[in-house]
Amino acid sequence: MDLDQIRALVADDMNAVNDRIRERLRSSVVLINQLGHYIINSGGKRLRPLLVLLSARACGAGDRHHIDLAAIIEFIHTATLLHDDVVDASELRRGRETANALFGNEASVLVGDFLYSRSFEMMVEIGSMRVMEILAHTTNTIAEGEVLQLLNCHDADTPEERYMEVIQSKTAKLFEAAARIGAVLGGQPEPVEQAMAAYGMHLGTAFQLIDDVLDYGASAEEMGKNMGDDLAEGKPTLPLIHAMRVGDANQAGLIREAIEQGGRDYADRVLGIIQATGSLDYTRAVAAAEADRAAASLAVLPDSPERQALESLARFSVTRGF
């Protein structure tokens, strides 16, 4: 299945999720409505709520809170984007100006806080302590990942293992929660819940690694952000870490300087080095291995269109160009 076919499986549910997002985004504070709707309607792929819907169906959940939980997952994701863009001083996301560029840093941070608090308000309404436990732990882990990434910025000695820890905490953890919740809603036993969590973790890791590749190989129109943003921010992503490890002394020295200094002056030279050292291919291979692990985790589920869609989503995570 391609992404359109995957989405078609749960199109009615996704329309309901979008309606729920608009309904629960409402506030008596006008700025919250304006900024919240701007970021929610800015063309995201909605992969995380899609993952909730597919996992819930694949695990036999029926209609037990999956719409609300998909909306909650998207609210949490959106809150992290608002905060990320402030921390990174980003100016472009999904091909549009970031909320902080338009509305200011203060408003973006505070509306991000509103989305977090609205998410937990909705969780209380669902009344599942297990769901609360999963999502409370998830948001805490994401925050830790953000801090770890901040500590890694401009640190050219960041090893691959520490970088993987960052992306598993910062990005993959919410994928893990989305897939795990599907199993919880379906009343599945612990082994199935753990397998679905593993699926989400490996899928999210693959997804972020391909983002790392696309940061050096996709246009701003394709990615919705400027090429080389990570390098400009001094983030030691996997292509850079690998190029430093296998490149010669001059190549490693230039990348070290680029990470430590940040900015865009090094972009063309660094791109040449990571291409010459095969670092993009290496990162794609690591992502492909993660996607294979994700697909293998689905062996606990009976065959169904939703399971096939989840397998296809794992393949999409590494073949996508946006």
PDB file of all heavy atoms in Angstrom, residues 154 228-234 257-267:
ATOM      1  N   HIS A 154      26.334  21.430  19.136  1.00  0.00           N
ATOM      2  CA  HIS A 154      27.706  21.940  19.009  1.00  0.00           C
ATOM      3  C   HIS A 154      28.739  21.033  19.670  1.00  0.00           C
ATOM      4  O   HIS A 154      29.879  21.456  19.879  1.00  0.00           O
ATOM      5  CB  HIS A 154      27.816  23.368  19.574  1.00  0.00           C
ATOM      6  CG  HIS A 154      26.872  24.336  18.921  1.00  0.00           C
ATOM      7  ND1 HIS A 154      26.998  24.726  17.608  1.00  0.00           N
ATOM      8  CD2 HIS A 154      25.771  24.968  19.398  1.00  0.00           C
ATOM      9  CE1 HIS A 154      26.031  25.571  17.306  1.00  0.00           C
ATOM     10  NE2 HIS A 154      25.256  25.730  18.364  1.00  0.00           N
ATOM     11  N   GLY A 228      19.762  21.719   5.395  1.00  0.00           N
ATOM     12  CA  GLY A 228      20.895  22.017   6.249  1.00  0.00           C
ATOM     13  C   GLY A 228      20.537  22.697   7.556  1.00  0.00           C
ATOM     14  O   GLY A 228      21.423  23.181   8.258  1.00  0.00           O
ATOM     15  N   ASP A 229      19.246  22.708   7.905  1.00  0.00           N
ATOM     16  CA  ASP A 229      18.843  23.340   9.163  1.00  0.00           C
ATOM     17  C   ASP A 229      19.553  22.709  10.362  1.00  0.00           C
ATOM     18  O   ASP A 229      19.990  23.410  11.274  1.00  0.00           O
ATOM     19  CB  ASP A 229      17.331  23.227   9.361  1.00  0.00           C
ATOM     20  CG  ASP A 229      16.563  24.391   8.727  1.00  0.00           C
ATOM     21  OD1 ASP A 229      17.217  25.319   8.217  1.00  0.00           O
ATOM     22  OD2 ASP A 229      15.324  24.359   8.738  1.00  0.00           O
ATOM     23  N   ASP A 230      19.634  21.372  10.365  1.00  0.00           N
ATOM     24  CA  ASP A 230      20.264  20.689  11.505  1.00  0.00           C
ATOM     25  C   ASP A 230      21.726  21.098  11.643  1.00  0.00           C
ATOM     26  O   ASP A 230      22.212  21.344  12.753  1.00  0.00           O
ATOM     27  CB  ASP A 230      20.144  19.173  11.359  1.00  0.00           C
ATOM     28  CG  ASP A 230      18.708  18.679  11.505  1.00  0.00           C
ATOM     29  OD1 ASP A 230      17.888  19.416  12.082  1.00  0.00           O
ATOM     30  OD2 ASP A 230      18.414  17.571  11.040  1.00  0.00           O
ATOM     31  N   LEU A 231      22.427  21.159  10.534  1.00  0.00           N
ATOM     32  CA  LEU A 231      23.830  21.570  10.564  1.00  0.00           C
ATOM     33  C   LEU A 231      23.948  23.013  11.041  1.00  0.00           C
ATOM     34  O   LEU A 231      24.825  23.335  11.855  1.00  0.00           O
ATOM     35  CB  LEU A 231      24.454  21.421   9.174  1.00  0.00           C
ATOM     36  CG  LEU A 231      25.924  21.846   9.055  1.00  0.00           C
ATOM     37  CD1 LEU A 231      26.808  20.933   9.892  1.00  0.00           C
ATOM     38  CD2 LEU A 231      26.370  21.821   7.592  1.00  0.00           C
ATOM     39  N   ALA A 232      23.070  23.880  10.534  1.00  0.00           N
ATOM     40  CA  ALA A 232      23.115  25.290  10.928  1.00  0.00           C
ATOM     41  C   ALA A 232      22.919  25.453  12.430  1.00  0.00           C
ATOM     42  O   ALA A 232      23.458  26.386  13.038  1.00  0.00           O
ATOM     43  CB  ALA A 232      22.052  26.070  10.171  1.00  0.00           C
ATOM     44  N   GLU A 233      22.153  24.526  13.029  1.00  0.00           N
ATOM     45  CA  GLU A 233      21.893  24.587  14.471  1.00  0.00           C
ATOM     46  C   GLU A 233      22.953  23.846  15.282  1.00  0.00           C
ATOM     47  O   GLU A 233      22.845  23.770  16.510  1.00  0.00           O
ATOM     48  CB  GLU A 233      20.507  24.010  14.755  1.00  0.00           C
ATOM     49  CG  GLU A 233      19.373  24.858  14.181  1.00  0.00           C
ATOM     50  CD  GLU A 233      18.084  24.078  13.968  1.00  0.00           C
ATOM     51  OE1 GLU A 233      17.990  22.938  14.479  1.00  0.00           O
ATOM     52  OE2 GLU A 233      17.190  24.587  13.274  1.00  0.00           O
ATOM     53  N   GLY A 234      23.957  23.288  14.607  1.00  0.00           N
ATOM     54  CA  GLY A 234      25.025  22.588  15.310  1.00  0.00           C
ATOM     55  C   GLY A 234      24.626  21.235  15.846  1.00  0.00           C
ATOM     56  O   GLY A 234      25.232  20.732  16.806  1.00  0.00           O
ATOM     57  N   GLU A 257      34.440  21.375  12.936  1.00  0.00           N
ATOM     58  CA  GLU A 257      34.343  22.838  12.961  1.00  0.00           C
ATOM     59  C   GLU A 257      32.912  23.292  12.642  1.00  0.00           C
ATOM     60  O   GLU A 257      32.381  24.207  13.277  1.00  0.00           O
ATOM     61  CB  GLU A 257      35.326  23.425  11.946  1.00  0.00           C
ATOM     62  CG  GLU A 257      35.401  24.946  11.957  1.00  0.00           C
ATOM     63  CD  GLU A 257      36.430  25.471  10.968  1.00  0.00           C
ATOM     64  OE1 GLU A 257      37.375  24.715  10.620  1.00  0.00           O
ATOM     65  OE2 GLU A 257      36.281  26.632  10.544  1.00  0.00           O
ATOM     66  N   ALA A 258      32.276  22.631  11.668  1.00  0.00           N
ATOM     67  CA  ALA A 258      30.914  23.002  11.275  1.00  0.00           C
ATOM     68  C   ALA A 258      29.941  22.785  12.428  1.00  0.00           C
ATOM     69  O   ALA A 258      29.065  23.626  12.686  1.00  0.00           O
ATOM     70  CB  ALA A 258      30.490  22.184  10.060  1.00  0.00           C
ATOM     71  N   ILE A 259      30.071  21.655  13.124  1.00  0.00           N
ATOM     72  CA  ILE A 259      29.183  21.372  14.254  1.00  0.00           C
ATOM     73  C   ILE A 259      29.421  22.378  15.375  1.00  0.00           C
ATOM     74  O   ILE A 259      28.469  22.910  15.972  1.00  0.00           O
ATOM     75  CB  ILE A 259      29.394  19.932  14.760  1.00  0.00           C
ATOM     76  CG1 ILE A 259      28.898  18.928  13.713  1.00  0.00           C
ATOM     77  CG2 ILE A 259      28.675  19.714  16.097  1.00  0.00           C
ATOM     78  CD1 ILE A 259      29.254  17.490  14.025  1.00  0.00           C
ATOM     79  N   GLU A 260      30.669  22.647  15.661  1.00  0.00           N
ATOM     80  CA  GLU A 260      30.991  23.539  16.781  1.00  0.00           C
ATOM     81  C   GLU A 260      30.607  24.990  16.502  1.00  0.00           C
ATOM     82  O   GLU A 260      30.198  25.720  17.402  1.00  0.00           O
ATOM     83  CB  GLU A 260      32.467  23.426  17.112  1.00  0.00           C
ATOM     84  CG  GLU A 260      32.836  22.072  17.710  1.00  0.00           C
ATOM     85  CD  GLU A 260      34.331  21.890  17.945  1.00  0.00           C
ATOM     86  OE1 GLU A 260      35.124  22.724  17.464  1.00  0.00           O
ATOM     87  OE2 GLU A 260      34.697  20.895  18.613  1.00  0.00           O
ATOM     88  N   GLN A 261      30.714  25.398  15.233  1.00  0.00           N
ATOM     89  CA  GLN A 261      30.429  26.789  14.886  1.00  0.00           C
ATOM     90  C   GLN A 261      28.972  27.010  14.489  1.00  0.00           C
ATOM     91  O   GLN A 261      28.420  28.085  14.703  1.00  0.00           O
ATOM     92  CB  GLN A 261      31.339  27.243  13.728  1.00  0.00           C
ATOM     93  CG  GLN A 261      32.819  27.214  14.053  1.00  0.00           C
ATOM     94  CD  GLN A 261      33.177  28.147  15.198  1.00  0.00           C
ATOM     95  OE1 GLN A 261      32.657  29.252  15.313  1.00  0.00           O
ATOM     96  NE2 GLN A 261      34.067  27.682  16.074  1.00  0.00           N
ATOM     97  N   GLY A 262      28.334  26.012  13.878  1.00  0.00           N
ATOM     98  CA  GLY A 262      26.984  26.185  13.375  1.00  0.00           C
ATOM     99  C   GLY A 262      26.962  27.116  12.164  1.00  0.00           C
ATOM    100  O   GLY A 262      28.009  27.466  11.607  1.00  0.00           O
ATOM    101  N   GLY A 263      25.750  27.490  11.737  1.00  0.00           N
ATOM    102  CA  GLY A 263      25.627  28.375  10.589  1.00  0.00           C
ATOM    103  C   GLY A 263      25.608  27.602   9.277  1.00  0.00           C
ATOM    104  O   GLY A 263      25.796  26.387   9.240  1.00  0.00           O
ATOM    105  N   ARG A 264      25.417  28.333   8.177  1.00  0.00           N
ATOM    106  CA  ARG A 264      25.247  27.709   6.859  1.00  0.00           C
ATOM    107  C   ARG A 264      26.492  27.812   5.980  1.00  0.00           C
ATOM    108  O   ARG A 264      26.481  27.327   4.860  1.00  0.00           O
ATOM    109  CB  ARG A 264      24.059  28.338   6.131  1.00  0.00           C
ATOM    110  CG  ARG A 264      22.754  28.138   6.864  1.00  0.00           C
ATOM    111  CD  ARG A 264      21.547  28.542   6.046  1.00  0.00           C
ATOM    112  NE  ARG A 264      20.333  28.341   6.820  1.00  0.00           N
ATOM    113  CZ  ARG A 264      19.727  27.174   6.956  1.00  0.00           C
ATOM    114  NH1 ARG A 264      20.198  26.097   6.339  1.00  0.00           N
ATOM    115  NH2 ARG A 264      18.633  27.063   7.692  1.00  0.00           N
ATOM    116  N   ASP A 265      27.555  28.428   6.470  1.00  0.00           N
ATOM    117  CA  ASP A 265      28.747  28.629   5.638  1.00  0.00           C
ATOM    118  C   ASP A 265      29.404  27.319   5.232  1.00  0.00           C
ATOM    119  O   ASP A 265      30.097  27.254   4.213  1.00  0.00           O
ATOM    120  CB  ASP A 265      29.768  29.498   6.373  1.00  0.00           C
ATOM    121  CG  ASP A 265      29.262  30.916   6.599  1.00  0.00           C
ATOM    122  OD1 ASP A 265      28.292  31.306   5.909  1.00  0.00           O
ATOM    123  OD2 ASP A 265      29.810  31.624   7.465  1.00  0.00           O
ATOM    124  N   TYR A 266      29.180  26.255   6.014  1.00  0.00           N
ATOM    125  CA  TYR A 266      29.848  24.975   5.764  1.00  0.00           C
ATOM    126  C   TYR A 266      28.999  24.013   4.929  1.00  0.00           C
ATOM    127  O   TYR A 266      29.460  22.924   4.588  1.00  0.00           O
ATOM    128  CB  TYR A 266      30.169  24.292   7.100  1.00  0.00           C
ATOM    129  CG  TYR A 266      31.102  25.056   7.994  1.00  0.00           C
ATOM    130  CD1 TYR A 266      30.607  25.986   8.902  1.00  0.00           C
ATOM    131  CD2 TYR A 266      32.475  24.846   7.941  1.00  0.00           C
ATOM    132  CE1 TYR A 266      31.462  26.693   9.748  1.00  0.00           C
ATOM    133  CE2 TYR A 266      33.340  25.544   8.788  1.00  0.00           C
ATOM    134  CZ  TYR A 266      32.825  26.470   9.672  1.00  0.00           C
ATOM    135  OH  TYR A 266      33.675  27.165  10.497  1.00  0.00           O
ATOM    136  N   ALA A 267      27.765  24.393   4.621  1.00  0.00           N
ATOM    137  CA  ALA A 267      26.789  23.433   4.106  1.00  0.00           C
ATOM    138  C   ALA A 267      27.282  22.693   2.864  1.00  0.00           C
ATOM    139  O   ALA A 267      27.215  21.455   2.802  1.00  0.00           O
ATOM    140  CB  ALA A 267      25.461  24.131   3.814  1.00  0.00           C
TER     141      ALA A 267
END
